Amino acid sequence: MNCPACNEHDLSIQEKGVDFTFLRCSSCELIFTETMKAGDEEFYSQHEVYRYSSSDDARSQKLFFQRTSFFKKELKQIRAGGRLLDVGCGYGGLVSYAGDLGLNARGIDFNAQQIEIGRSVFQLTENQLCYANTKTLQEMINNNVKFDCICLFEVLEHVDDPKNLIQQAVDLLEDDGTILISCPNEDRLQPTGRVYVDYPPHHLTRWKPLTLQAMMEKFDFTLCRSDFD
C-alpha cells in the first residue's frame, strides 16, 4: 500500500480502533485510513450529520463567507466575470457571495436537500447550483469546461483518492487559475479530543499544512497564501 498523497510506501500505524486503522506516511506525514472508502451520495444526504438542513443554516453559511476576510481577499483577485467552481458547496453560500462580487459562480454537492434550499434562499438557478454525483467533474472535463478558480473547502479529507480529485481540478482549471483549499489542520489544538467525524467514513485523511503543500507542488502549483483558523 502506498501513501495516497505522495505515493511513498514507508508507512507506520498511527491509530487503531475496532473497525479502522490509520497509517502515517514517514515521507509527507499524511495520516490516512488503511481502507480508503468514501461515503456515497446517499451517505451525505441521509446521515444525521448532514440531513438536517434549513434556510437559516444556508444564510449562516453565506454570512460566514462574507465575514471572513480570507475569502473576500481571494475572490477579489479573480478577474471581473471570472468563472468559479465550488466543489462540495453545501447550500451555495459561497456561490451566492461570489455572484454578489461579480463572478460567474457555480456550485456542486452530493446533498440534494441543501442544494434545493440554497436555490430557494439565494435565488440561484439549476445551472448555478447543481446536485452532483461521482461522475460530475469528469463530465465537465469531457465537455472542456474551464474555471478561473476552483474551491475545495472541507472536501479533500472526505475523498478516497485525493490526488485524483486534484488532477480533475487541474484539468478544469485555466492555465493561470487558482485552487483554494481548506481542510482540518492535523496540528490544530484539540483540547476535548478528536471529534467523531474525524474518522471514516467521514474523514479518510488528516492533513498538515506542509503535507498539503507538498502534494500540490507535485502538480506544479505555487503556494500563494496560507492561513490558519
Side-chain angles (χ1 to χ4, degrees):
M1 184 174 190
N2 293 348
C3 172
C6 71
N7 209 39
E8 294 295 329
H9 57 268
D10 186 4
L11 311 173
S12 59
I13 294 178
Q14 173 76 18
E15 183 180 354
K16 196 172 181 65
V18 174
D19 55 0
F20 69 86
T21 299
F22 273 95
L23 304 176
R24 179 184 177 276
C25 174
S26 63
S27 179
C28 72
E29 298 190 22
L30 179 72
I31 298 170
F32 61 97
T33 58
E34 188 174 38
T35 303
M36 295 284 282
K37 185 176 181 181
D40 57 14
E41 296 97 317
E42 182 178 358
F43 174 79
Y44 283 106
S45 293
Q46 300 301 321
H47 192 280
E48 61 183 7
V49 173
Y50 311 103
R51 72 184 180 196
Y52 297 111
S53 306
S54 72
S55 298
D56 287 340
D57 287 341
R59 296 185 186 96
S60 294
Q61 187 196 52
K62 181 175 181 177
L63 196 60
F64 166 75
F65 288 114
Q66 290 173 316
R67 289 182 171 179
T68 305
S69 60
F70 172 86
F71 301 109
K72 180 181 291 187
K73 182 174 182 178
E74 293 303 320
L75 294 183
K76 286 190 174 181
Q77 301 299 314
I78 306 170
R79 63 179 178 84
R83 303 194 70 197
L84 176 145
L85 175 66
D86 186 11
V87 180
C89 66
Y91 297 100
L94 178 65
V95 175
S96 180
Y97 177 46
D100 294 343
L101 296 177
L103 299 178
N104 181 1
R106 183 179 185 185
I108 59 174
D109 199 279
F110 276 173
N111 193 313
Q113 183 180 18
Q114 291 188 7
I115 289 292
E116 288 298 328
I117 290 173
R119 287 175 184 166
S120 175
V121 170
F122 302 126
Q123 298 297 295
L124 298 173
T125 66
E126 291 185 10
N127 188 54
Q128 291 173 301
L129 214 55
C130 311
Y131 171 72
N133 57 43
T134 55
K135 299 178 182 179
T136 300
L137 291 180
Q138 188 57 52
E139 289 171 354
M140 290 182 181
I141 294 168
N142 294 343
N143 290 324
N144 199 33
V145 177
K146 294 290 183 179
F147 297 91
D148 299 286
C149 179
I150 295 177
C151 302
L152 300 168
F153 297 143
E154 312 303 296
V155 171
L156 201 62
E157 66 273 16
H158 291 267
V159 302
D160 52 25
D161 192 345
K163 285 198 302 182
N164 182 62
L165 176 61
I166 298 301
Q167 183 60 63
Q168 288 181 312
V170 169
D171 293 339
L172 288 167
L173 201 63
E174 297 284 4
D175 290 341
D176 59 347
T178 300
I179 294 183
L180 303 180
I181 301 174
S182 73
C183 55
N185 183 357
E186 181 60 14
D187 288 335
R188 69 192 183 278
L189 182 64
Q190 301 181 69
T192 60
R194 196 176 294 278
V195 295
Y196 78 94
V197 294
D198 215 14
Y199 292 91
H202 302 272
H203 292 179
L204 307 182
T205 49
R206 299 172 180 172
W207 300 82
K208 295 183 178 182
L210 290 178
T211 304
L212 181 58
Q213 181 178 343
M215 185 182 73
M216 296 304 294
E217 286 175 350
K218 289 181 180 295
F219 287 90
D220 293 329
F221 280 91
T222 300
L223 177 65
C224 297
R225 183 179 172 194
S226 180
D227 274 20
F228 303 91
D229 183 355

